[in-house]
Amino acid sequence: MKTKALNITQLQKKFQSQELSSVQAVKDYYCKIEKSNPKLNAFLEIWKEKALENAEISDQRIAAKKARVLEGIPIAIKDNFMIKGRIMSSASKYLENYISPYDATVIERLKNAGAVFLGRTNMDEFAMGGSTENSAFGPTKNPWDLSRIPGGSSGGSAAAVAADFAPCALGSDTGGSVRQPAGFCGINGYKPSYGLISRYGICALASSFDQVATFTRSVFDAAKLTSVMAGADFRDPVCQPNEYIDYTSGLDNLDTLKKLKIGVPKQLADYQIDAPIAKIFEQSLEKLKKAGAEIVEIDVEAYQYVASLYKVIMCAEVSANIATFDGIRYGYRSPNGVNLNDEYSKTRAESLGYEVKKRILFGTYVLGAKNYYRCYNQAQKVRTLLIDELNAAYEKCDVIFTPASLQMPVKFGESLPEESDIFIMVANLAGLPGFTLIGGQTENNMPVGVHFLSKR
Ligand code: GLN
């Protein structure tokens, strides 16, 4: 029995009816991975032996009617989540041989729920980028068109789900890193509110933006994974002490659409949007209207500052977080240093990529004594302004609806305009939940994502 692009819910039905075992499903995924991963480079490493062993245990539990909520469900994990005893490289030469000493909170929760980890997926180095070209281990290709980027930074996870190497995958989203590649690869990408899921055990990029996020084939699956992973964790100080919530409940009630007020930012008109995206976005609006939703125009002037303020705050936080990679405690250490300072600088020069160095330099600059008030502090004020404007917009609407990206995925070596993902980036700046869904397909069969930005 071959698994054909099944989602979690469909897999679970087949497991329950014994039409398919977890072991067989895992074997089928590996079969596809072994055949096509050399072409796509979605996975950096696979864990076949352990996965089959765990799938076997899951099959026994299912047979004994002791199935846990994700029993035997295969999942791909972005290479910046710690799994005890496994390499977590963050696609950097610096952490190439780093072995995680413990499980990230979400990994622990997924393990306890019976999920089966297939392997770790490629990404932009330390999640810096939007194309997966910044990986130290080569780029990932977009399964829909191998000459194009899959998006990023979680491009490996997005490609893995799109190529049906796995029914779902984990990513991290600091400025759209799950929701942008989800759109480029034609799957769902969901980032919950800031603080809903613990980031303990995940390689930090920008701590006031970072959130765990999911790639799935259905909205229901995203809600299911989120229900397993969310909830209080004293090891992440910003994690909200929520009671357990089943996020899948009520999802099948389409009546909610009838009362929904959907806000479309007036500012979309200020940007160049690729024609197929503009067309599919309009068609999606029509569908929403037909389903009973009311479309209202909203005005958020601060969109114009999003790219700049994201860059200032993100790089500032990067320069602080990456300071831990000094070649002394763990990771790469240059054999060429002649004194301590030389050791630091050679370690970094030899092991970090261009994008990472650029961000450390810029972040250090904006935090410098002379620039702190002019750049960093100013950016934080504008961030508050943005949040205030979004709050005002939510007086008029329930959700904000935009394209997931203003541009189609480019070819390798070409770059996307800086503002291509500002409409999804605001989710991280304001701590809001965002969801990329498939809006449609272009005439060349490339997927196009649309994005809902909701209140916390
Ligand atoms: N593309 C954005 C950046 O390069 C987002 C990164 C992310 O979400 N990890 O910063």
Side-chain angles (χ1 to χ4, degrees), residues 78 80 123-124 126-131 134 152-154 172-181 205-206 209-210 310-311 314 318 355 359 421 425 428:
K78 186 177 180 180
N80 57 352
M123 55 187 279
D124 286 302
F126 294 122
M128 299 183 199
S131 70
N134 298 337
S153 64
S154 318
S172 59
D173 190 313
T174 303
S177 265
V178 161
R179 293 160 296 133
Q180 180 251 36
L205 176 57
F209 300 148
D210 292 347
Y310 172 77
K311 202 186 291 173
M314 183 265 299
V318 159
E355 185 63 29
R359 293 191 194 201
D421 44 12
M425 214 169 240
N428 307 76

Side-chain angles (χ1 to χ4, degrees), residues 351-364:
S351 66
L352 301 178
Y354 173 77
E355 185 63 29
V356 178
K357 289 174 184 162
K358 196 175 79 180
R359 293 191 194 201
I360 294 172
L361 285 176
F362 185 65
T364 310

